[in-house]
Amino acid sequence: MREEKTAPTMKDVAREAGVALGTVSKVVNGIPVGEEYRLRVEAAIEKLDYHINSYAKGLKSGRTMVVAVLFPNLISPFFSKLVNCINKELTKRNYRMMFYATDYNPEKEQEYVYLAEHQKVDGIICLSYNPKLRVSENVRLVSIDRYFGSQIPCVASDNYGGGWLAAEKLVENGCRHLAMLRIGSPLPHEPLKRKDGFIAACESMGVPYMQKSLEDGMPYTEFDDFLMEHFHDGKLEFDGIFCATDSLAYVMKGTLKRMGIRVPEDVQMIGFDGSRAFGDLDLYCSTIVQPMEAIAENCVDIVLKPKGERSPSLICLPVTYEYGGTTLK
Amino acid sequence: MREEKTAPTMKDVAREAGVALGTVSKVVNGIPVGEEYRLRVEAAIEKLDYHINSYAKGLKSGRTMVVAVLFPNLISPFFSKLVNCINKELTKRNYRMMFYATDYNPEKEQEYVYLAEHQKVDGIICLSYNPKLRVSENVRLVSIDRYFGSQIPCVASDNYGGGWLAAEKLVENGCRHLAMLRIGSPLPHEPLKRKDGFIAACESMGVPYMQKSLEDGMPYTEFDDFLMEHFHDGKLEFDGIFCATDSLAYVMKGTLKRMGIRVPEDVQMIGFDGSRAFGDLDLYCSTIVQPMEAIAENCVDIVLKPKGERSPSLICLPVTYEYGGTTLK
DNA sequence: AAAACTGCGTGAAACGTTATACCTAGAACG
DNA sequence: CGTTCTAGGTATAACGTTTCACGCAGTTTT
């Protein structure tokens, strides 16, 4: 039976160094202290392999150096890549990330927001599907892609601009009749603006377009019918498709292939997200790339701001076009 | 200037309910207490919207209900999907997940293991690329895919069996000459056994095979040369390929297409992982599926066991074959 | 040369819990 | 009816920090 050796505390360090407890605390927190004392304390810390107890620190100071991140899941490439960026950004600033998967469940989201608040995190970054999320005023929360009103800062891509850019690029590549495929959402959120931007661009350019929205929850295969309706004599009525997400584009690529329609020869296609599923090796569709690093950086910037400080209520970050084989260039 | 309303504490609840502090603690922790007292305390908790301060609790009790999860990143579909499963499993047991990305960097890994230990997590689950990870004896650590010796429990898929199964399935589908493509690793780890299983199966079945290993860090395009070497008169020397990962299979699919080789008509292909990049919609290659849920469940089971209790030093979980379009069935 | 600063180390209170020793009252017992 | 249990509530000492009032040099001011 070996005795449980308990971790050294500041008191132990103080005794070892022959200084007062408060002095050790100062050294640990980088508060100036006499050279000689500092060296003695540092030596003692080294010798005892002392590490601060973050729970005692969190209890006393109220700051925990932890940020809670709430996302529906980590399965979608867009989510996981974005969470990865957020984590990187937090780590860079010596914060740690507590992750919660909400599973698209509004109640879970609310529960986790409460939980995170009471677990005393320093902030919450949240990609929410709960239209009426309630947040305590004591904790800073940043929302991604959903605008909750001017009280809660929201960070998103420039979805409107992205939709516009997609239409432009298709036309630039020679398309004359466009179509947009998308999944509707029962809730208003920023990505809906992809459609608005797309339509605005089409009208501004005088290019005919059609649009098919699927109700949330419907299988992508419903789009097959839409394609068939507009497929006559081996030709589609449109020669450019804007898919609201890359995963949709990926699936449609398969569908078109089965219909014997060549991409990009017969019809060109652009997706949205730019979250390549297999890293840099795969270019599975031309796409509008969301600036994940910038989104992450902005979220973290805002969430770590002191409580009092005001932040913009909406930040839209610029997107870019990236060729990926489903357009001419 | 509004006054900062500070969260209610047990003391407040005690005062509100007219009982002693210790009684509140008992109620909160489910320790039996007189009916009348319990109701009074519960009412007070409800009224004040009291929530326990997890930092005070963690400080005093030594248990934090947090598990640290260390993975190289969240970008690879296999990693993110597995982390997602682990998170689900932890949540199910009321634990929370602190995530650390190690970026394949051995020093970072070691640093985060130390960090997590000192931050007083209740356990660590780690997919490590550090061959000589050092772990304190005070914290439970479970390793995924890398065996560190009998002191540290390791959970993995049955990689050997998976390699064997891949060879079997290819032959079952009519292949007569197999090839395996893989990325070597400077470190020994469980996934290396995919090759061993594959070779053993080939030899046991008397099927000729070849094998190409790429050094770690080389681009997948190096495999192109290998394919060209064995490509004569519009035909490959082999009619079945086992790729050590799905992402490799995905890339090779593109390469073969560019070479004018049809999959699965001319050559069949099986990958490994089963972490579909776009959810259930895409079947981009036939594959050996790793049982992520089971891996996650086992990791969590072990990591949450009381410290004293012994665990198996290696658990290999059964894999399955799943058709995905790159084989005949 | 006395008074007023300044810099810096000290010691103790406080953060919100858990756990344990201690009471008290009523029940059970001989 | 006095003694011994027992159940269950109370009070208090930790847990390992941070913070702040305090004191004591040494230095500057008038």
Side-chain angles (χ1 to χ4, degrees), chain B residues 116-178:
Chain B
E117 284 173 357
H118 296 125
Q119 237 106 35
K120 306 272 175 294
V121 298
D122 287 349
I124 301 177
I125 297 173
C126 164
L127 197 157
S128 166
Y129 280 78
N130 183 334
K132 38 179 188 262
L133 202 64
R134 285 192 27 73
V135 187
S136 137
E137 298 175 8
N138 295 322
V139 76
R140 213 179 238 282
L141 183 143
V142 175
S143 166
I144 298 175
D145 270 359
R146 185 177 314 289
Y147 180 76
F148 284 100
S150 62
Q151 298 315 306
I152 299 182
C154 171
V155 176
S157 292
D158 179 5
N159 287 283
Y160 186 92
W164 184 293
L165 182 57
E168 259 182 5
K169 283 292 171 185
L170 286 170
V171 170
E172 223 173 79
N173 275 312
C175 299
R176 291 297 167 254
H177 295 82
L178 304 187

Side-chain angles (χ1 to χ4, degrees), chain A residues 33-53:
Chain A
V33 115
E35 170 83 358
E36 184 196 345
Y37 279 77
R38 209 196 63 231
L39 293 175
R40 287 228 302 276
V41 171
E42 283 170 355
I45 287 175
E46 182 78 15
K47 178 170 173 197
L48 299 180
D49 189 30
Y50 166 78
H51 291 264
I52 199 163
N53 180 317

Side-chain angles (χ1 to χ4, degrees), chain A residues 158-176:
Chain A
D158 178 5
N159 287 283
Y160 186 91
W164 186 292
L165 183 57
E168 260 182 3
K169 283 290 170 186
L170 286 170
V171 170
E172 222 172 79
N173 275 310
C175 298
R176 291 297 166 255

Side-chain angles (χ1 to χ4, degrees), chain B residues 158-213:
Chain B
D158 179 5
N159 287 283
Y160 186 92
W164 184 293
L165 182 57
E168 259 182 5
K169 283 292 171 185
L170 286 170
V171 170
E172 223 173 79
N173 275 312
C175 299
R176 291 297 167 254
H177 295 82
L178 304 187
M180 173 170 184
L181 307 182
R182 56 188 285 272
I183 309 287
S185 163
L187 321 170
H189 61 168
E190 292 298 313
L192 295 179
K193 297 186 185 163
R194 292 171 194 176
K195 180 193 66 175
D196 303 334
F198 176 79
I199 290 178
C202 288
E203 300 199 329
S204 142
M205 293 183 294
V207 173
Y209 66 90
M210 45 184 83
Q211 198 235 120
K212 174 70 181 176
S213 289

Side-chain angles (χ1 to χ4, degrees), chain B residues 45 99 135 189 194 224 236 265 280 293 315 317:
Chain B
I45 288 176
F99 181 81
V135 187
H189 61 168
R194 292 171 194 176
D224 297 6
L236 274 175
E265 294 83 353
D280 292 335
E293 289 82 5
I315 294 184
L317 297 162

Side-chain angles (χ1 to χ4, degrees), chain B residues 198-272:
Chain B
F198 176 79
I199 290 178
C202 288
E203 300 199 329
S204 142
M205 293 183 294
V207 173
Y209 66 90
M210 45 184 83
Q211 198 235 120
K212 174 70 181 176
S213 289
L214 225 56
E215 250 179 79
D216 193 27
M218 304 295 282
Y220 285 2
T221 50
E222 293 278 313
F223 284 121
D224 297 6
D225 300 342
F226 173 77
L227 291 182
M228 290 311 292
E229 279 168 31
H230 300 277
F231 188 56
H232 314 290
D233 310 325
K235 277 179 68 73
L236 274 175
E237 284 176 35
F238 34 82
D239 53 5
I241 304 180
F242 172 40
C243 294
T245 69
D246 283 348
S247 65
L248 177 55
Y250 181 82
V251 172
M252 293 328 291
K253 210 164 101 175
T255 306
L256 290 166
K257 189 180 172 188
R258 277 192 300 279
M259 291 172 71
I261 301 169
R262 291 169 308 164
V263 178
E265 294 83 353
D266 301 330
V267 63
Q268 298 187 57
M269 195 164 62
I270 293 182
F272 202 113

Side-chain angles (χ1 to χ4, degrees), chain B residues 50-90:
Chain B
Y50 166 78
H51 290 266
I52 199 162
N53 180 315
S54 54
Y55 279 76
K57 180 170 187 156
L59 169 60
K60 185 62 195 172
S61 72
R63 292 191 65 206
T64 58
M65 305 301 280
V66 173
V67 168
V69 173
L70 278 66
F71 269 64
N73 60 55
L74 289 174
I75 293 176
S76 140
F78 173 65
F79 292 157
S80 58
K81 207 167 172 187
L82 186 47
V83 171
N84 196 73
C85 290
I86 292 173
N87 181 66
K88 220 178 227 166
E89 203 62 42
L90 287 170

